[in-house]
Amino acid sequence: MISNQILQSTIEGLKAITRIDICIMDTEGKILASTTTGVEEYEEAVLAFVNSPADSQALQGFQFFKVFDEHQLEYIILAEGDSDDVYMVGKIASFQIQNLLVAYKERYDKDNFIKNLLLDNLLLVDIYNRAKKLHIETDVRRVVYIIETKNEKDTNALETVRSLFTGKTKDFITAVDEKNIILVKELKPNETYDDLEKTAKVVLDMLNTEAMTQVHIAYGTIINEIKDVSRSYKEAKMALDVGKIFYSERNIVAYSNLGIGRLIYQLPMPLCKMFIREIFDGKSPDDFDEETLATINKFFENNLNVSETSRQLYIHRNTLVYRLDKLQKSTNLDLRVFEDAITFKIALMVVKYMKYMESLEY
């Protein structure tokens, strides 16, 4: 359905050109948009006109017109005056609103199609049949972005994204839940993953400045056929989750660049619990004090370099060695040994994953 705001701006534009007042009512005689006042008194006349067989009628100083959507009466238009010029303006207004109905319906149908496509709710034959009817190309390169906003139903963010891609009619912007905006973007033949990253950065910067909101953006792999849009969407969803768990410092995460987080994310929980029991012998990294955790993280950041880690922590090298020895006694893992360091790093990531999955249960 066309918003009242769009109806209002349309008739205000017509009045600016023709200087004739116009009012749009629904089939129950309620005013949806108007450039004049005092038309409430015509409610009964409108209801009578709705039930009459005529498509237009002059009554009480106004011209009445009906606007249909596939034989279903949607709007009544009133144009003030009874001259031939007023009749012509009323017909033009009716024609304009009729075209808006068609455009909005097509947009709604496309939006509905894209949502069902993303959620894998369509049979293969239906995908191609409906795409053909809606004039959507089926064999072009596309990618799916998920833009997660901090607030639910963030209309400012949605409108900002729409304004950014408004001139690109082959891109689709929709939402399948309360917090995520979905962008299905058509790509040029020469666009690469570097270009996808640049697009994500443009969206991120625009939302940070225009919509004043913090967002996370994830995107899937490039697909070549419309039937694979759902796959790119699932990849983007996975990238968003993996990014939250393991790469919280990143605002943009690509499915093609998830590293070891991709593997851990797909581990079954019983296997994760068994692994953690084996490594920490019933303990948890949460049992370590903040000093120990800070030491471990800094040691990993500096690629197991004792000298550089002690320098950045502002402690003596021997103090760092003492802390590492203490950790080795409690875990049987020596972080100065590459194999033990890898095991410990993976164990920390597995614990992060387990915490995230447990948080989803509550």
Side-chain angles (χ1 to χ4, degrees):
M1 204 66 171
I2 308 170
S3 70
N4 291 356
Q5 185 180 355
I6 296 294
L7 293 174
Q8 185 67 38
S9 64
T10 300
I11 61 175
E12 283 177 357
L14 286 171
K15 183 185 177 179
I17 297 169
T18 64
R19 299 187 180 180
I20 291 173
D21 281 308
I22 301 168
C23 175
I24 301 175
M25 294 187 175
D26 62 17
T27 54
E28 295 178 351
K30 300 295 184 291
I31 298 172
L32 303 176
S34 180
T35 63
T36 185
T37 57
V39 286
E40 295 88 352
E41 62 191 70
Y42 290 90
E43 183 178 331
E44 288 186 13
V46 167
L47 292 175
F49 178 59
V50 165
N51 295 318
S52 75
D55 288 338
S56 63
Q57 182 178 334
L59 187 67
Q60 300 176 14
F62 276 88
Q63 302 268 7
F64 288 52
F65 303 88
K66 289 178 180 176
V67 178
F68 294 89
D69 178 21
E70 292 186 357
H71 309 295
Q72 176 72 36
L73 183 60
E74 288 290 339
Y75 301 114
I76 304 299
I77 293 178
L78 283 68
E80 189 170 11
D82 53 11
S83 66
D84 290 342
D85 287 344
V86 172
Y87 178 82
M88 182 177 68
V89 170
K91 292 296 284 184
I92 290 171
S94 301
F95 180 73
Q96 181 71 12
I97 302 301
Q98 180 78 57
N99 283 343
L100 281 174
L101 274 171
V102 172
Y104 268 71
K105 190 169 183 182
E106 183 174 308
R107 176 172 153 180
Y108 172 78
D109 285 347
K110 283 185 177 180
D111 189 65
N112 200 34
F113 170 68
I114 293 297
K115 281 180 181 177
N116 283 312
L117 189 62
L118 290 166
L119 298 173
D120 241 346
N121 289 340
L122 297 170
L123 296 173
L124 190 61
V125 65
D126 291 334
I127 291 173
Y128 287 94
N129 286 340
R130 291 186 65 181
K132 186 177 179 182
K133 286 179 183 177
L134 294 168
H135 309 291
I136 298 173
E137 291 187 62
T138 57
D139 55 354
V140 295
R141 300 171 81 235
R142 291 185 174 92
V143 69
V144 176
Y145 289 87
I146 297 179
I147 303 154
E148 184 186 68
T149 58
K150 193 174 181 181
N151 303 316
E152 293 188 1
K153 294 184 179 179
D154 195 331
T155 53
N156 285 340
L158 182 60
E159 289 308 313
T160 300
V161 175
R162 279 192 172 138
S163 68
L164 193 58
F165 297 93
T166 189
K168 300 168 185 175
T169 53
K170 294 182 179 178
D171 296 334
F172 302 102
I173 296 146
T174 187
V176 294
D177 55 36
E178 299 293 330
K179 292 184 74 173
N180 294 333
I181 300 166
I182 315 297
L183 167 63
V184 182
K185 190 176 189 308
E186 184 172 316
L187 306 175
K188 296 174 184 175
N190 59 343
E191 283 191 86
T192 65
Y193 283 98
D194 287 340
D195 296 309
L196 303 190
E197 187 76 11
K198 288 175 186 174
T199 298
K201 285 178 180 175
V202 169
V203 174
L204 182 70
D205 292 342
M206 182 72 79
L207 288 171
N208 284 342
T209 54
E210 296 289 331
M212 299 294 288
T213 184
Q214 293 292 321
V215 300
H216 288 91
I217 300 174
Y219 56 92
T221 55
I222 297 171
I223 49 100
N224 296 303
E225 289 192 55
I226 198 164
K227 67 180 176 64
D228 294 323
V229 163
S230 62
R231 191 191 78 211
S232 188
Y233 170 63
K234 288 170 186 171
E235 291 170 348
K237 274 187 74 176
M238 178 178 167
L240 195 65
D241 282 345
V242 172
K244 284 180 191 172
I245 303 167
F246 305 116
Y247 315 114
S248 55
E249 72 284 356
R250 296 189 203 170
N251 288 320
I252 299 171
V253 184
Y255 177 80
S256 57
N257 189 26
L258 294 180
I260 197 170
R262 182 202 313 276
L263 298 176
I264 294 172
Y265 182 78
Q266 297 180 81
L267 292 175
M269 284 297 283
L271 189 61
C272 291
K273 289 176 181 177
M274 187 186 301
F275 177 66
I276 294 303
R277 279 198 302 270
E278 180 184 323
I279 299 302
F280 294 115
D281 192 24
K283 297 177 185 176
S284 166
D286 291 338
D287 297 333
F288 300 137
D289 56 64
E290 287 187 20
E291 184 182 76
T292 303
L293 286 172
T295 302
I296 294 166
N297 290 329
K298 189 60 71 175
F299 194 53
F300 284 138
E301 281 177 26
N302 289 291
N303 299 315
L304 315 184
N305 186 310
V306 173
S307 298
E308 185 60 25
T309 302
S310 59
R311 187 185 70 80
Q312 290 189 21
L313 288 172
Y314 303 103
I315 60 175
H316 193 275
R317 177 190 173 93
N318 289 346
T319 304
L320 177 60
V321 171
Y322 168 75
R323 289 182 186 176
L324 294 174
D325 287 342
K326 184 180 173 185
L327 187 65
Q328 182 183 0
K329 286 178 183 177
S330 64
T331 63
N332 292 319
L333 293 171
D334 185 353
L335 299 195
R336 290 157 292 190
V337 177
F338 180 74
E339 187 176 338
D340 284 357
I342 285 290
T343 302
F344 199 95
K345 178 67 174 177
I346 291 173
L348 288 177
M349 294 180 75
V350 168
V351 168
K352 272 189 177 181
Y353 168 63
M354 289 170 63
K355 281 184 180 178
Y356 177 79
M357 295 308 290
E358 285 167 4
S359 72
L360 297 180
E361 295 175 4
Y362 296 104

